[in-house]
């Protein structure tokens, strides 16, 4: 009897192993829009009466995997830390573009400042939800969740977009700020990102020379939205901190025959003297703009300032607009624009020049996209 029982046990063990090995593998989680690699800008912008100028911005990569996991590595800045502008390169572009140092926000040229690990899935109404459960080193954290609107099929199916509920909308100073919990379970309330299956490495990044000379990129405008915490007006007596929405880019193109952007000599950057802008001077409406390649990955940096602020000098070194950016690249490796952040700390212009002066209301803290028509930015008509 023992021999028979032993034989039966061996048979059952063999059957069990066959059944286990034949069990179907767990179903893969569908990638958002079928895209794995994303560039994403997230921030917290609110009325000064509510957050007392504690705005923050974050720029980084989201990488989604078929097993339902997601990882981000990012650069982030907080208004109360008063991050400063630092030199990135010299823009020697010749012509009417002044030869000046291009600056970015401190820390952007270095390694990512932080990261999260987590999971993703979809709500019943089709939104993408991401829950961060660990930090970059794998240590558990209090879960942080985000709920994104997902748009697919952009650029003939070569890209997709995620946005917070009120990222797009009318321009002006009456922005609908999502209530706590609508977009995230922490303080993030605005965000925008674009995804594809192109590499996130430097090899996927378009050069400044390509943007000016490549016919795929140099003849079209790049536009989008900019949600920003800023002053309500220039009047020191009445202004306070509000949240506005503006447009990015414009009708201009990098290779316009009448006034093209100019490549820098010796540095991976380009510059442009933009005419007829909103700069407040009555006599000089020109705006000086630079965009440059910085460090690895998809990183670019932009800096601009009104030429009248230089007061007859070639360069303005105080309260320029520094904008870290990441390039949007589609499945075919085509450049499609940027997502970015602005982390503008107001500095003194006298003997304490370039040092933060604590004028919180004069800061600009926001997130933006500036993309091609193929990505169909939702602009007000």
């Amino acid at each position: 009897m023992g021999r028979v029982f032993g034989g039966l046990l061996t048979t059952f063990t063999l059957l069990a192993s066959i059944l286990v090995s034949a069990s179907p593998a767990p179903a893969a989680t569908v990638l958002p829009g079928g895209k794995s690699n994303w560039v994403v800008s997230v921030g917290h912008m609110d009325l000064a009466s509510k957050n007392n100028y504690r705005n923050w911005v974050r720029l980084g990569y989201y990488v989604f995997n078929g097993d339902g996991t997601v990882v981000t590595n990012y650069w982030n800045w907080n208004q109360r830390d008063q991050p400063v502008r630092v030199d990135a390169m010299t823009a020697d572009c010749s012509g009417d573009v002044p030869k000046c140092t291009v600056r970015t926000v401190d820390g952007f040229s270095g390694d990512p400042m932080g990261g999260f690990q987590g999971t993703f899935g979809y709500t019943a109404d089709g939104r993408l939800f991401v829950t961060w459960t660990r930090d970059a080193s794998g240590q558990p954290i209090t879960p942080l969740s985000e709920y994104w609107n997902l748009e697919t099929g952009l650029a003939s199916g070569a890209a997709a977009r995620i946005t917070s509920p009120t990222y797009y909308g009318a321009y002006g100073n009456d922005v609908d700020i999502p209530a706590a919990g609508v977009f995230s379970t922490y303080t993030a309330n605005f965000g925008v990102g674009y995804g594809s299956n192109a590499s996130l490495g430097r090899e996927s990044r378009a050069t400044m020379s390509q943007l000016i000379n490549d016919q795929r990129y140099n003849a079209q405008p790049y536009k989008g939205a900019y949600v920003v915490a800023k002053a309500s007006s220039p009047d020191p007596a009445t202004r306070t901190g509000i949240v506005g929405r503006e447009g990015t880019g414009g009708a201009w193109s990098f290779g316009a025959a009448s006034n093209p952007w100019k490549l820098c000599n010796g540095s991976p950057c380009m510059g442009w003297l933009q005419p007829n802008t909103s700069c407040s001077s009555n006599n000089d409406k020109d705006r000086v703009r630079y965009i440059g390649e910085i460090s690895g990955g998809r990183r670019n940096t932009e800096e601009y300032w009104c030429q009248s602020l230089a007061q007859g000098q070639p360069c303005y070194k105080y309260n320029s607009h520094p904008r870290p950016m990441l390039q949007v690249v589609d499945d075919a490796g085509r450049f499609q624009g940027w997502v970015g952040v602005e982390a503008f700390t107001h500095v003194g212009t006298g003997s304490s020049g370039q040092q933060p002066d604590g004028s919180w209301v004069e800061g600009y803290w926001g997130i933006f996209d500036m993309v091609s028509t193929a990505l169909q930015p939702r602009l007000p008509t």
Side-chain angles (χ1 to χ4, degrees):
M1 182 66 180
R3 185 176 298 171
V4 173
F5 179 78
L8 288 173
L9 182 60
T10 301
T11 301
F12 287 145
T13 301
L14 177 61
L15 287 171
S17 66
I18 293 172
L19 289 172
V20 169
S21 63
S23 298
T29 304
V30 177
L31 298 176
K35 312 305 179 189
S36 177
N37 298 327
W38 292 69
V39 290
V40 181
S41 178
V42 180
H44 167 76
M45 286 80 72
D46 210 338
L47 306 176
S49 60
K50 292 185 177 181
N51 74 358
N52 194 26
Y53 301 105
R54 285 176 168 80
N55 304 292
W56 59 263
V57 292
R58 188 176 82 213
L59 179 68
Y61 306 111
Y62 284 20
V63 177
F64 295 89
N65 303 300
D67 63 358
T69 60
V70 58
V71 176
T72 182
N73 292 288
Y74 59 76
W75 296 264
N76 67 309
W77 298 275
N78 296 275
Q79 186 171 13
R80 285 286 170 169
D81 292 337
Q82 300 189 104
V84 297
R85 300 160 183 82
V86 295
D87 296 350
M89 65 196 74
T90 298
D92 180 4
C93 307
S94 70
D96 55 3
V97 180
K99 180 181 179 180
C100 297
T101 299
V102 181
R103 298 175 299 168
T104 190
V105 184
D106 191 19
F108 189 50
S109 62
D111 292 337
M113 299 170 172
F116 296 128
Q117 303 172 19
T119 60
F120 72 97
Y122 302 90
T123 63
D125 60 2
R127 287 176 297 158
L128 169 70
F129 73 84
V130 174
T131 300
W132 305 114
T133 56
R134 297 179 181 274
D135 64 16
S137 67
Q139 293 300 307
I141 61 172
T142 300
L144 308 171
S145 295
E146 301 161 1
Y147 297 87
W148 295 89
N149 295 335
L150 174 63
E151 298 176 73
T152 63
L154 305 178
S156 300
R161 173 169 54 229
I162 52 176
T163 54
S164 58
T166 62
Y167 172 72
Y168 284 129
Y171 297 156
N173 295 335
D174 190 23
V175 175
D176 183 7
I177 301 173
V182 173
F183 172 55
S184 81
T185 60
Y186 60 113
T187 58
N189 55 7
F190 291 97
V192 60
Y194 291 86
S196 74
N197 293 312
S199 164
L200 293 171
R202 173 181 279 185
E203 69 278 2
S204 70
R205 185 172 75 189
T207 66
M208 300 299 101
S209 177
Q210 286 176 303
L211 296 187
I212 291 178
N213 297 313
D214 193 320
Q215 294 181 358
R216 295 176 297 172
Y217 312 136
N218 68 1
Q220 67 171 308
Y222 296 85
K223 300 180 181 181
Y226 172 42
V227 179
V228 56
K230 61 178 183 176
S232 57
S233 79
D235 185 355
T238 61
R239 64 189 176 192
T240 187
I242 61 165
V243 178
R245 185 185 293 105
E246 305 171 6
T248 59
W252 47 266
S253 60
F254 295 118
S258 59
N259 185 20
W261 286 63
K262 297 177 175 63
L263 283 174
C264 303
N265 297 311
S267 297
C269 61
M270 58 182 176
W272 187 43
L273 193 63
Q274 181 181 10
N276 304 317
T277 72
S278 59
C279 291
S280 58
S281 171
N282 291 327
N283 299 320
D284 187 352
K285 295 289 187 180
D286 291 345
R287 178 176 288 136
V288 180
R289 304 185 75 123
Y290 305 102
I291 298 176
E293 302 169 51
I294 185 170
S295 301
R298 300 262 195 94
R299 276 178 281 183
N300 286 167
T301 195
E302 179 183 28
E303 184 184 25
Y304 67 84
W305 37 273
C306 293
Q307 191 172 43
S308 59
L309 295 174
Q311 298 182 340
Q313 299 300 309
C315 306
Y316 178 64
K317 59 183 179 180
Y318 301 111
N319 292 297
S320 63
H321 293 262
R323 290 181 154 189
M325 304 189 297
L326 295 175
Q327 288 191 6
V328 179
V329 179
D330 70 17
D331 285 349
R334 294 172 301 221
F335 169 82
Q336 297 285 3
W338 294 273
V339 297
V341 300
E342 181 159 349
F344 177 125
T345 297
H346 196 271
V347 300
T349 58
S351 58
S352 61
Q354 302 187 59
Q355 295 301 310
D357 62 6
S359 183
W360 307 110
V361 71
E362 294 185 87
Y364 291 83
W365 286 77
I367 68 168
F368 64 91
D369 63 343
M370 186 164 61
V371 296
S372 68
T373 55
L375 295 187
Q376 303 169 33
R378 297 183 177 274
L379 307 179
T381 56

